[in-house]
Amino acid sequence: MNDTTTFPPPTAAELRADFWRKWIEIGAIVLLFFLFVGPLTPEVNEAHYLAKARHYWNPAWCPDDHFLNSGDAHGVFYWSFGWITTLVSFPVAAWIGRWLCWIAIAVAWRRMIAQVTDLPWAGLYGMAMGLAGVYYLHMAGEWLIGGVEAKCFAYAFAFWGIGDALSGRWNRAWILLGIASAFHVLVGGWMVVCLMFCWLVCPRQRATIRSFWPGLFAGGAIALVGVVPLLLLDRGVAPEDSALASYYYVYERLNHHLVVHSFSLSFKLRFTLATFAWAGTAWLLRNHDKARLVNGVVAGSVVLVLIGVFIDQYFVFVLNDYLSAAKLLRLYWYRIADVMVPIGLSINLLALYQLHRAKLPTVARGVLVAVCLLVAVGLLVRIADRWTATAGPADQSTLVSDPTAWQEVGAWIRENTPPEAIFLTPRMQSTFKWYAQRAEVVTTKDVPQDDMNLLEWRWRRGAVQWRSINNRNTLSLAGLTEENVRDLVEKYGLKYVVVDQVIARRDHVPIEWSFQRIYPVDPAENASYEVYEVTP
């Protein structure tokens, strides 16, 4: 029997009200992002990405910085956004980028979740749950909302593409995921794999290959804009050099993201519990067509985690082949699940509430209220931490000894040293180029993406940072001898050394050089940081 019930078309007033409700909700989501991130710059990766972006457009800026002259793994981001860094200061560029990617993610997210549930304010509630989930339940250190970088725009296009798949626009979905891949090969590429897995396990909702192959082809062609330059970074590199570079990248520099057996047990347990919770809600929604599609994408991300765990366990503990494992583990198998499992769980909880609020109102409302209270407490703790911080996240994460003094010495260097000068800088920092805008010999944070420069980066770290530890058991550059410094001058052309005296005094390591101290100017002042000019 056909349902002949008809509904009148919405009036102009209703359309206007819907329009404003949508944009008010999007504004509320962006405000949530702002509160979540806090008022300070730079974020953990912003100094890294924005310095590279400025150098991409202006190679004369910090012309002899090793990292800035290394291969560009995110060329689309640098090309599309980097020019802004040549017009305004780094903090202003960071805020412009943050607002752009936050608005893009908010719009794409609300559009995606509206395909699953039409609950009022579902976008805001779902994102609040998702943010808290990603922050507290991640396993490998992935994040969704923070500073501006390539993956932020990739996630925006990925969410828009998933939303199109939910609404049956598979051709456009593949194209949008291709754009995401161009911005960030791993985020966009793994999202493509997850959507393909979703297509395989959701036969009732999927389109035919014949119907969407043009979009798949077009998306793949667009993705090549980001993939091909990345593949060309290591052309001509000997296989043994490439294997060593991957080993250092995976097991020495980024094991906290890539090596699951080195992750904290608490991180693994909380992510596992979140995955089981998501799986339980996904089973309850197995007959919900739209939720099933979302959960197919999430299931794909969980399969990637299982593949990563297998590689980690089999190649290392069975074959004892760290080099082969490193080549594979470099692909960030856990990245997408860190985001999509909490996101999928939040969508499922809202969909379940909508399904059962009429039949089981007390239970549905009780569960939703409990989850909302838990999320609210978690977000308030995070927001309070960010808004009471006295240093930017990048300086906090790299354990800068005295953040205020660090910014002051950076400003002094910017005003009082030649723009082309090269510096030896403290190990416990990642923001020297942000504040001082001068080249560095090496920085722990700034690991190159191409293999040969990655190997050179490791040699530089050994020549600078590890030598100070071996000489006098200190992380401060005060541990270097004058002969060490002169050797580095000959190798890398440096002119100045910035010494973290907080660490040096703590370790009882006095400086034993004949070089002139030029900062602080007052010879009697005991500053947190000192600058020495290396003379012949």
Side-chain angles (χ1 to χ4, degrees), residues 65-67 422-427 429 433 439-448 456-465 477 492:
D65 186 276
H66 173 250
F67 166 68
I422 304 173
F423 284 72
L424 275 186
T425 53
R427 178 174 181 171
Q429 61 84 24
K433 286 187 280 289
E440 300 171 84
V441 173
V442 68
T443 306
T444 300
K445 178 70 175 177
D446 291 343
V447 55
E456 170 67 17
W457 165 84
R458 188 177 185 273
W459 282 111
R460 287 174 179 242
R461 286 189 69 199
V464 178
Q465 299 173 352
L477 295 178
Y492 305 123

PDB file of all heavy atoms in Angstrom, residues 65-67 422-427 429 433 439-448 456-465 477 492:
ATOM      1  N   ASP A  65      68.752  27.249   6.239  1.00  0.00           N
ATOM      2  CA  ASP A  65      68.215  26.323   7.226  1.00  0.00           C
ATOM      3  C   ASP A  65      68.039  24.947   6.580  1.00  0.00           C
ATOM      4  O   ASP A  65      67.377  24.806   5.551  1.00  0.00           O
ATOM      5  CB  ASP A  65      66.867  26.834   7.744  1.00  0.00           C
ATOM      6  CG  ASP A  65      66.328  25.997   8.884  1.00  0.00           C
ATOM      7  OD1 ASP A  65      65.684  24.956   8.596  1.00  0.00           O
ATOM      8  OD2 ASP A  65      66.554  26.356  10.036  1.00  0.00           O
ATOM      9  N   HIS A  66      68.634  23.938   7.201  1.00  0.00           N
ATOM     10  CA  HIS A  66      68.627  22.599   6.600  1.00  0.00           C
ATOM     11  C   HIS A  66      67.218  22.057   6.425  1.00  0.00           C
ATOM     12  O   HIS A  66      66.861  21.534   5.356  1.00  0.00           O
ATOM     13  CB  HIS A  66      69.459  21.637   7.464  1.00  0.00           C
ATOM     14  CG  HIS A  66      69.376  20.220   7.011  1.00  0.00           C
ATOM     15  ND1 HIS A  66      68.721  19.233   7.735  1.00  0.00           N
ATOM     16  CD2 HIS A  66      69.842  19.606   5.895  1.00  0.00           C
ATOM     17  CE1 HIS A  66      68.803  18.092   7.077  1.00  0.00           C
ATOM     18  NE2 HIS A  66      69.478  18.279   5.974  1.00  0.00           N
ATOM     19  N   PHE A  67      66.390  22.165   7.460  1.00  0.00           N
ATOM     20  CA  PHE A  67      65.037  21.632   7.356  1.00  0.00           C
ATOM     21  C   PHE A  67      64.233  22.355   6.288  1.00  0.00           C
ATOM     22  O   PHE A  67      63.533  21.720   5.481  1.00  0.00           O
ATOM     23  CB  PHE A  67      64.329  21.736   8.706  1.00  0.00           C
ATOM     24  CG  PHE A  67      62.844  21.530   8.628  1.00  0.00           C
ATOM     25  CD1 PHE A  67      62.315  20.294   8.312  1.00  0.00           C
ATOM     26  CD2 PHE A  67      61.963  22.587   8.833  1.00  0.00           C
ATOM     27  CE1 PHE A  67      60.931  20.100   8.213  1.00  0.00           C
ATOM     28  CE2 PHE A  67      60.593  22.403   8.746  1.00  0.00           C
ATOM     29  CZ  PHE A  67      60.072  21.160   8.434  1.00  0.00           C
ATOM     30  N   ILE A 422      73.184  31.697  10.796  1.00  0.00           N
ATOM     31  CA  ILE A 422      72.816  30.339  11.199  1.00  0.00           C
ATOM     32  C   ILE A 422      73.161  30.157  12.675  1.00  0.00           C
ATOM     33  O   ILE A 422      74.240  30.555  13.111  1.00  0.00           O
ATOM     34  CB  ILE A 422      73.558  29.282  10.358  1.00  0.00           C
ATOM     35  CG1 ILE A 422      73.300  29.516   8.865  1.00  0.00           C
ATOM     36  CG2 ILE A 422      73.115  27.875  10.751  1.00  0.00           C
ATOM     37  CD1 ILE A 422      74.123  28.614   7.962  1.00  0.00           C
ATOM     38  N   PHE A 423      72.252  29.521  13.423  1.00  0.00           N
ATOM     39  CA  PHE A 423      72.384  29.395  14.867  1.00  0.00           C
ATOM     40  C   PHE A 423      72.427  27.933  15.302  1.00  0.00           C
ATOM     41  O   PHE A 423      71.754  27.077  14.714  1.00  0.00           O
ATOM     42  CB  PHE A 423      71.195  30.051  15.576  1.00  0.00           C
ATOM     43  CG  PHE A 423      71.252  31.555  15.618  1.00  0.00           C
ATOM     44  CD1 PHE A 423      71.030  32.315  14.473  1.00  0.00           C
ATOM     45  CD2 PHE A 423      71.517  32.220  16.805  1.00  0.00           C
ATOM     46  CE1 PHE A 423      71.071  33.700  14.518  1.00  0.00           C
ATOM     47  CE2 PHE A 423      71.560  33.601  16.858  1.00  0.00           C
ATOM     48  CZ  PHE A 423      71.341  34.343  15.710  1.00  0.00           C
ATOM     49  N   LEU A 424      73.205  27.693  16.368  1.00  0.00           N
ATOM     50  CA  LEU A 424      73.014  26.494  17.176  1.00  0.00           C
ATOM     51  C   LEU A 424      71.976  26.844  18.232  1.00  0.00           C
ATOM     52  O   LEU A 424      72.129  27.860  18.928  1.00  0.00           O
ATOM     53  CB  LEU A 424      74.307  26.084  17.874  1.00  0.00           C
ATOM     54  CG  LEU A 424      75.337  25.230  17.142  1.00  0.00           C
ATOM     55  CD1 LEU A 424      76.450  24.851  18.106  1.00  0.00           C
ATOM     56  CD2 LEU A 424      74.711  23.997  16.546  1.00  0.00           C
ATOM     57  N   THR A 425      70.954  26.032  18.370  1.00  0.00           N
ATOM     58  CA  THR A 425      69.858  26.370  19.269  1.00  0.00           C
ATOM     59  C   THR A 425      69.612  25.254  20.273  1.00  0.00           C
ATOM     60  O   THR A 425      69.967  24.098  20.039  1.00  0.00           O
ATOM     61  CB  THR A 425      68.573  26.624  18.465  1.00  0.00           C
ATOM     62  OG1 THR A 425      68.320  25.506  17.601  1.00  0.00           O
ATOM     63  CG2 THR A 425      68.696  27.890  17.630  1.00  0.00           C
ATOM     64  N   PRO A 426      68.971  25.578  21.417  1.00  0.00           N
ATOM     65  CA  PRO A 426      68.742  24.570  22.458  1.00  0.00           C
ATOM     66  C   PRO A 426      67.902  23.401  21.971  1.00  0.00           C
ATOM     67  O   PRO A 426      67.040  23.543  21.091  1.00  0.00           O
ATOM     68  CB  PRO A 426      68.009  25.360  23.554  1.00  0.00           C
ATOM     69  CG  PRO A 426      68.419  26.779  23.331  1.00  0.00           C
ATOM     70  CD  PRO A 426      68.569  26.926  21.848  1.00  0.00           C
ATOM     71  N   ARG A 427      68.150  22.260  22.566  1.00  0.00           N
ATOM     72  CA  ARG A 427      67.406  21.056  22.199  1.00  0.00           C
ATOM     73  C   ARG A 427      65.947  21.161  22.629  1.00  0.00           C
ATOM     74  O   ARG A 427      65.052  20.689  21.922  1.00  0.00           O
ATOM     75  CB  ARG A 427      68.055  19.843  22.852  1.00  0.00           C
ATOM     76  CG  ARG A 427      67.329  18.541  22.561  1.00  0.00           C
ATOM     77  CD  ARG A 427      68.084  17.348  23.092  1.00  0.00           C
ATOM     78  NE  ARG A 427      67.417  16.095  22.802  1.00  0.00           N
ATOM     79  CZ  ARG A 427      67.938  14.908  23.011  1.00  0.00           C
ATOM     80  NH1 ARG A 427      69.157  14.805  23.512  1.00  0.00           N
ATOM     81  NH2 ARG A 427      67.271  13.806  22.729  1.00  0.00           N
ATOM     82  N   GLN A 429      63.290  22.949  22.503  1.00  0.00           N
ATOM     83  CA  GLN A 429      62.480  23.991  21.879  1.00  0.00           C
ATOM     84  C   GLN A 429      62.152  23.573  20.461  1.00  0.00           C
ATOM     85  O   GLN A 429      62.815  22.715  19.873  1.00  0.00           O
ATOM     86  CB  GLN A 429      63.209  25.339  21.879  1.00  0.00           C
ATOM     87  CG  GLN A 429      64.515  25.363  21.122  1.00  0.00           C
ATOM     88  CD  GLN A 429      64.361  25.596  19.611  1.00  0.00           C
ATOM     89  OE1 GLN A 429      63.362  26.169  19.180  1.00  0.00           O
ATOM     90  NE2 GLN A 429      65.325  25.151  18.826  1.00  0.00           N
ATOM     91  N   LYS A 433      62.611  29.506  14.982  1.00  0.00           N
ATOM     92  CA  LYS A 433      62.325  30.223  13.735  1.00  0.00           C
ATOM     93  C   LYS A 433      61.057  31.062  13.848  1.00  0.00           C
ATOM     94  O   LYS A 433      60.907  32.072  13.156  1.00  0.00           O
ATOM     95  CB  LYS A 433      62.224  29.223  12.574  1.00  0.00           C
ATOM     96  CG  LYS A 433      63.579  28.674  12.137  1.00  0.00           C
ATOM     97  CD  LYS A 433      63.489  27.819  10.889  1.00  0.00           C
ATOM     98  CE  LYS A 433      63.029  26.424  11.166  1.00  0.00           C
ATOM     99  NZ  LYS A 433      64.037  25.605  11.866  1.00  0.00           N
ATOM    100  N   ALA A 439      67.908  30.895  10.720  1.00  0.00           N
ATOM    101  CA  ALA A 439      68.161  29.487  10.396  1.00  0.00           C
ATOM    102  C   ALA A 439      68.817  28.771  11.568  1.00  0.00           C
ATOM    103  O   ALA A 439      69.532  29.386  12.368  1.00  0.00           O
ATOM    104  CB  ALA A 439      69.044  29.402   9.165  1.00  0.00           C
ATOM    105  N   GLU A 440      68.578  27.460  11.624  1.00  0.00           N
ATOM    106  CA  GLU A 440      69.166  26.616  12.663  1.00  0.00           C
ATOM    107  C   GLU A 440      69.960  25.491  12.015  1.00  0.00           C
ATOM    108  O   GLU A 440      69.640  25.041  10.910  1.00  0.00           O
ATOM    109  CB  GLU A 440      68.077  25.998  13.538  1.00  0.00           C
ATOM    110  CG  GLU A 440      67.199  27.003  14.249  1.00  0.00           C
ATOM    111  CD  GLU A 440      66.010  26.350  14.925  1.00  0.00           C
ATOM    112  OE1 GLU A 440      66.174  25.866  16.069  1.00  0.00           O
ATOM    113  OE2 GLU A 440      64.927  26.319  14.308  1.00  0.00           O
ATOM    114  N   VAL A 441      70.952  25.009  12.738  1.00  0.00           N
ATOM    115  CA  VAL A 441      71.696  23.845  12.273  1.00  0.00           C
ATOM    116  C   VAL A 441      70.810  22.606  12.317  1.00  0.00           C
ATOM    117  O   VAL A 441      70.734  21.833  11.364  1.00  0.00           O
ATOM    118  CB  VAL A 441      72.966  23.630  13.119  1.00  0.00           C
ATOM    119  CG1 VAL A 441      73.654  22.310  12.750  1.00  0.00           C
ATOM    120  CG2 VAL A 441      73.934  24.792  12.930  1.00  0.00           C
ATOM    121  N   VAL A 442      70.085  22.413  13.430  1.00  0.00           N
ATOM    122  CA  VAL A 442      69.209  21.259  13.573  1.00  0.00           C
ATOM    123  C   VAL A 442      68.221  21.519  14.694  1.00  0.00           C
ATOM    124  O   VAL A 442      68.525  22.242  15.649  1.00  0.00           O
ATOM    125  CB  VAL A 442      70.025  19.978  13.865  1.00  0.00           C
ATOM    126  CG1 VAL A 442      70.676  20.025  15.239  1.00  0.00           C
ATOM    127  CG2 VAL A 442      69.167  18.721  13.715  1.00  0.00           C
ATOM    128  N   THR A 443      67.030  20.957  14.548  1.00  0.00           N
ATOM    129  CA  THR A 443      65.999  21.014  15.579  1.00  0.00           C
ATOM    130  C   THR A 443      65.349  19.636  15.661  1.00  0.00           C
ATOM    131  O   THR A 443      65.033  19.038  14.629  1.00  0.00           O
ATOM    132  CB  THR A 443      64.911  22.055  15.236  1.00  0.00           C
ATOM    133  OG1 THR A 443      65.529  23.309  14.993  1.00  0.00           O
ATOM    134  CG2 THR A 443      63.915  22.209  16.367  1.00  0.00           C
ATOM    135  N   THR A 444      65.139  19.142  16.858  1.00  0.00           N
ATOM    136  CA  THR A 444      64.547  17.808  17.011  1.00  0.00           C
ATOM    137  C   THR A 444      63.185  17.723  16.328  1.00  0.00           C
ATOM    138  O   THR A 444      62.870  16.743  15.655  1.00  0.00           O
ATOM    139  CB  THR A 444      64.405  17.470  18.498  1.00  0.00           C
ATOM    140  OG1 THR A 444      65.696  17.485  19.106  1.00  0.00           O
ATOM    141  CG2 THR A 444      63.782  16.096  18.689  1.00  0.00           C
ATOM    142  N   LYS A 445      62.366  18.735  16.475  1.00  0.00           N
ATOM    143  CA  LYS A 445      61.019  18.729  15.921  1.00  0.00           C
ATOM    144  C   LYS A 445      61.014  18.705  14.398  1.00  0.00           C
ATOM    145  O   LYS A 445      60.184  18.037  13.775  1.00  0.00           O
ATOM    146  CB  LYS A 445      60.255  19.964  16.416  1.00  0.00           C
ATOM    147  CG  LYS A 445      58.844  20.110  15.883  1.00  0.00           C
ATOM    148  CD  LYS A 445      57.918  19.074  16.457  1.00  0.00           C
ATOM    149  CE  LYS A 445      56.481  19.304  16.001  1.00  0.00           C
ATOM    150  NZ  LYS A 445      55.574  18.260  16.504  1.00  0.00           N
ATOM    151  N   ASP A 446      61.954  19.430  13.795  1.00  0.00           N
ATOM    152  CA  ASP A 446      61.927  19.629  12.350  1.00  0.00           C
ATOM    153  C   ASP A 446      62.612  18.482  11.618  1.00  0.00           C
ATOM    154  O   ASP A 446      63.714  18.624  11.069  1.00  0.00           O
ATOM    155  CB  ASP A 446      62.592  20.959  11.990  1.00  0.00           C
ATOM    156  CG  ASP A 446      61.767  22.148  12.444  1.00  0.00           C
ATOM    157  OD1 ASP A 446      60.572  21.968  12.732  1.00  0.00           O
ATOM    158  OD2 ASP A 446      62.319  23.269  12.500  1.00  0.00           O
ATOM    159  N   VAL A 447      61.953  17.337  11.593  1.00  0.00           N
ATOM    160  CA  VAL A 447      62.512  16.178  10.889  1.00  0.00           C
ATOM    161  C   VAL A 447      62.111  16.258   9.416  1.00  0.00           C
ATOM    162  O   VAL A 447      60.932  16.421   9.095  1.00  0.00           O
ATOM    163  CB  VAL A 447      62.029  14.861  11.526  1.00  0.00           C
ATOM    164  CG1 VAL A 447      60.514  14.786  11.584  1.00  0.00           C
ATOM    165  CG2 VAL A 447      62.591  13.668  10.772  1.00  0.00           C
ATOM    166  N   PRO A 448      63.088  16.198   8.495  1.00  0.00           N
ATOM    167  CA  PRO A 448      62.751  16.235   7.065  1.00  0.00           C
ATOM    168  C   PRO A 448      61.956  15.005   6.644  1.00  0.00           C
ATOM    169  O   PRO A 448      62.015  13.949   7.281  1.00  0.00           O
ATOM    170  CB  PRO A 448      64.125  16.265   6.382  1.00  0.00           C
ATOM    171  CG  PRO A 448      65.065  16.770   7.430  1.00  0.00           C
ATOM    172  CD  PRO A 448      64.541  16.220   8.724  1.00  0.00           C
ATOM    173  N   GLU A 456      70.778  13.133   7.021  1.00  0.00           N
ATOM    174  CA  GLU A 456      71.626  14.274   7.378  1.00  0.00           C
ATOM    175  C   GLU A 456      71.159  14.905   8.686  1.00  0.00           C
ATOM    176  O   GLU A 456      71.977  15.291   9.529  1.00  0.00           O
ATOM    177  CB  GLU A 456      71.593  15.300   6.242  1.00  0.00           C
ATOM    178  CG  GLU A 456      72.229  16.646   6.561  1.00  0.00           C
ATOM    179  CD  GLU A 456      73.730  16.568   6.775  1.00  0.00           C
ATOM    180  OE1 GLU A 456      74.354  15.559   6.379  1.00  0.00           O
ATOM    181  OE2 GLU A 456      74.284  17.529   7.348  1.00  0.00           O
ATOM    182  N   TRP A 457      69.845  14.987   8.874  1.00  0.00           N
ATOM    183  CA  TRP A 457      69.279  15.532  10.116  1.00  0.00           C
ATOM    184  C   TRP A 457      69.745  14.712  11.309  1.00  0.00           C
ATOM    185  O   TRP A 457      70.107  15.262  12.355  1.00  0.00           O
ATOM    186  CB  TRP A 457      67.751  15.515  10.006  1.00  0.00           C
ATOM    187  CG  TRP A 457      66.988  15.698  11.271  1.00  0.00           C
ATOM    188  CD1 TRP A 457      66.663  16.882  11.878  1.00  0.00           C
ATOM    189  CD2 TRP A 457      66.421  14.663  12.088  1.00  0.00           C
ATOM    190  NE1 TRP A 457      65.934  16.646  13.012  1.00  0.00           N
ATOM    191  CE2 TRP A 457      65.770  15.289  13.177  1.00  0.00           C
ATOM    192  CE3 TRP A 457      66.392  13.274  12.023  1.00  0.00           C
ATOM    193  CZ2 TRP A 457      65.102  14.573  14.166  1.00  0.00           C
ATOM    194  CZ3 TRP A 457      65.735  12.562  13.000  1.00  0.00           C
ATOM    195  CH2 TRP A 457      65.111  13.206  14.051  1.00  0.00           C
ATOM    196  N   ARG A 458      69.776  13.374  11.149  1.00  0.00           N
ATOM    197  CA  ARG A 458      70.210  12.550  12.258  1.00  0.00           C
ATOM    198  C   ARG A 458      71.692  12.767  12.558  1.00  0.00           C
ATOM    199  O   ARG A 458      72.101  12.811  13.727  1.00  0.00           O
ATOM    200  CB  ARG A 458      69.953  11.074  11.964  1.00  0.00           C
ATOM    201  CG  ARG A 458      70.219  10.186  13.176  1.00  0.00           C
ATOM    202  CD  ARG A 458      69.886   8.745  12.889  1.00  0.00           C
ATOM    203  NE  ARG A 458      70.029   7.937  14.097  1.00  0.00           N
ATOM    204  CZ  ARG A 458      71.183   7.374  14.484  1.00  0.00           C
ATOM    205  NH1 ARG A 458      72.277   7.567  13.782  1.00  0.00           N
ATOM    206  NH2 ARG A 458      71.226   6.648  15.590  1.00  0.00           N
ATOM    207  N   TRP A 459      72.522  12.907  11.531  1.00  0.00           N
ATOM    208  CA  TRP A 459      73.941  13.188  11.770  1.00  0.00           C
ATOM    209  C   TRP A 459      74.122  14.532  12.468  1.00  0.00           C
ATOM    210  O   TRP A 459      74.979  14.680  13.347  1.00  0.00           O
ATOM    211  CB  TRP A 459      74.703  13.168  10.448  1.00  0.00           C
ATOM    212  CG  TRP A 459      74.993  11.789   9.955  1.00  0.00           C
ATOM    213  CD1 TRP A 459      74.461  11.169   8.857  1.00  0.00           C
ATOM    214  CD2 TRP A 459      75.875  10.840  10.545  1.00  0.00           C
ATOM    215  NE1 TRP A 459      74.943   9.894   8.730  1.00  0.00           N
ATOM    216  CE2 TRP A 459      75.826   9.655   9.752  1.00  0.00           C
ATOM    217  CE3 TRP A 459      76.700  10.859  11.670  1.00  0.00           C
ATOM    218  CZ2 TRP A 459      76.574   8.524  10.049  1.00  0.00           C
ATOM    219  CZ3 TRP A 459      77.447   9.724  11.955  1.00  0.00           C
ATOM    220  CH2 TRP A 459      77.383   8.582  11.162  1.00  0.00           C
ATOM    221  N   ARG A 460      73.335  15.510  12.075  1.00  0.00           N
ATOM    222  CA  ARG A 460      73.426  16.828  12.713  1.00  0.00           C
ATOM    223  C   ARG A 460      73.031  16.738  14.189  1.00  0.00           C
ATOM    224  O   ARG A 460      73.668  17.375  15.044  1.00  0.00           O
ATOM    225  CB  ARG A 460      72.538  17.835  11.976  1.00  0.00           C
ATOM    226  CG  ARG A 460      73.087  18.263  10.630  1.00  0.00           C
ATOM    227  CD  ARG A 460      72.121  19.153   9.872  1.00  0.00           C
ATOM    228  NE  ARG A 460      72.677  19.576   8.602  1.00  0.00           N
ATOM    229  CZ  ARG A 460      72.922  20.845   8.253  1.00  0.00           C
ATOM    230  NH1 ARG A 460      72.622  21.823   9.089  1.00  0.00           N
ATOM    231  NH2 ARG A 460      73.442  21.138   7.083  1.00  0.00           N
ATOM    232  N   ARG A 461      71.997  15.985  14.489  1.00  0.00           N
ATOM    233  CA  ARG A 461      71.609  15.831  15.892  1.00  0.00           C
ATOM    234  C   ARG A 461      72.739  15.188  16.696  1.00  0.00           C
ATOM    235  O   ARG A 461      73.003  15.581  17.833  1.00  0.00           O
ATOM    236  CB  ARG A 461      70.355  14.961  15.993  1.00  0.00           C
ATOM    237  CG  ARG A 461      69.077  15.660  15.572  1.00  0.00           C
ATOM    238  CD  ARG A 461      67.875  14.800  15.926  1.00  0.00           C
ATOM    239  NE  ARG A 461      67.690  14.728  17.369  1.00  0.00           N
ATOM    240  CZ  ARG A 461      66.978  13.798  17.982  1.00  0.00           C
ATOM    241  NH1 ARG A 461      66.413  12.827  17.292  1.00  0.00           N
ATOM    242  NH2 ARG A 461      66.859  13.811  19.297  1.00  0.00           N
ATOM    243  N   GLY A 462      73.371  14.209  16.092  1.00  0.00           N
ATOM    244  CA  GLY A 462      74.487  13.574  16.784  1.00  0.00           C
ATOM    245  C   GLY A 462      75.632  14.535  17.025  1.00  0.00           C
ATOM    246  O   GLY A 462      76.229  14.558  18.107  1.00  0.00           O
ATOM    247  N   ALA A 463      75.932  15.344  16.008  1.00  0.00           N
ATOM    248  CA  ALA A 463      77.055  16.270  16.116  1.00  0.00           C
ATOM    249  C   ALA A 463      76.793  17.395  17.099  1.00  0.00           C
ATOM    250  O   ALA A 463      77.740  17.971  17.660  1.00  0.00           O
ATOM    251  CB  ALA A 463      77.360  16.864  14.732  1.00  0.00           C
ATOM    252  N   VAL A 464      75.519  17.708  17.352  1.00  0.00           N
ATOM    253  CA  VAL A 464      75.179  18.841  18.220  1.00  0.00           C
ATOM    254  C   VAL A 464      74.596  18.364  19.554  1.00  0.00           C
ATOM    255  O   VAL A 464      75.194  18.534  20.614  1.00  0.00           O
ATOM    256  CB  VAL A 464      74.179  19.782  17.515  1.00  0.00           C
ATOM    257  CG1 VAL A 464      73.786  20.929  18.443  1.00  0.00           C
ATOM    258  CG2 VAL A 464      74.767  20.323  16.222  1.00  0.00           C
ATOM    259  N   GLN A 465      73.439  17.744  19.504  1.00  0.00           N
ATOM    260  CA  GLN A 465      72.697  17.453  20.724  1.00  0.00           C
ATOM    261  C   GLN A 465      73.280  16.281  21.493  1.00  0.00           C
ATOM    262  O   GLN A 465      73.453  16.359  22.717  1.00  0.00           O
ATOM    263  CB  GLN A 465      71.229  17.189  20.372  1.00  0.00           C
ATOM    264  CG  GLN A 465      70.557  18.388  19.708  1.00  0.00           C
ATOM    265  CD  GLN A 465      69.164  18.065  19.202  1.00  0.00           C
ATOM    266  OE1 GLN A 465      68.730  16.921  19.205  1.00  0.00           O
ATOM    267  NE2 GLN A 465      68.438  19.081  18.751  1.00  0.00           N
ATOM    268  N   LEU A 477      73.577  23.134  25.460  1.00  0.00           N
ATOM    269  CA  LEU A 477      74.732  23.254  24.574  1.00  0.00           C
ATOM    270  C   LEU A 477      75.988  23.670  25.323  1.00  0.00           C
ATOM    271  O   LEU A 477      77.089  23.641  24.748  1.00  0.00           O
ATOM    272  CB  LEU A 477      74.431  24.261  23.458  1.00  0.00           C
ATOM    273  CG  LEU A 477      73.314  23.866  22.492  1.00  0.00           C
ATOM    274  CD1 LEU A 477      73.088  24.965  21.464  1.00  0.00           C
ATOM    275  CD2 LEU A 477      73.620  22.546  21.801  1.00  0.00           C
ATOM    276  N   TYR A 492      78.917  23.466   9.196  1.00  0.00           N
ATOM    277  CA  TYR A 492      77.584  23.993   8.924  1.00  0.00           C
ATOM    278  C   TYR A 492      77.513  25.514   8.791  1.00  0.00           C
ATOM    279  O   TYR A 492      76.436  26.045   8.529  1.00  0.00           O
ATOM    280  CB  TYR A 492      76.621  23.543  10.031  1.00  0.00           C
ATOM    281  CG  TYR A 492      76.608  22.045  10.210  1.00  0.00           C
ATOM    282  CD1 TYR A 492      76.891  21.463  11.444  1.00  0.00           C
ATOM    283  CD2 TYR A 492      76.324  21.196   9.138  1.00  0.00           C
ATOM    284  CE1 TYR A 492      76.879  20.084  11.609  1.00  0.00           C
ATOM    285  CE2 TYR A 492      76.309  19.820   9.299  1.00  0.00           C
ATOM    286  CZ  TYR A 492      76.597  19.264  10.536  1.00  0.00           C
ATOM    287  OH  TYR A 492      76.597  17.904  10.689  1.00  0.00           O
TER     288      TYR A 492
END
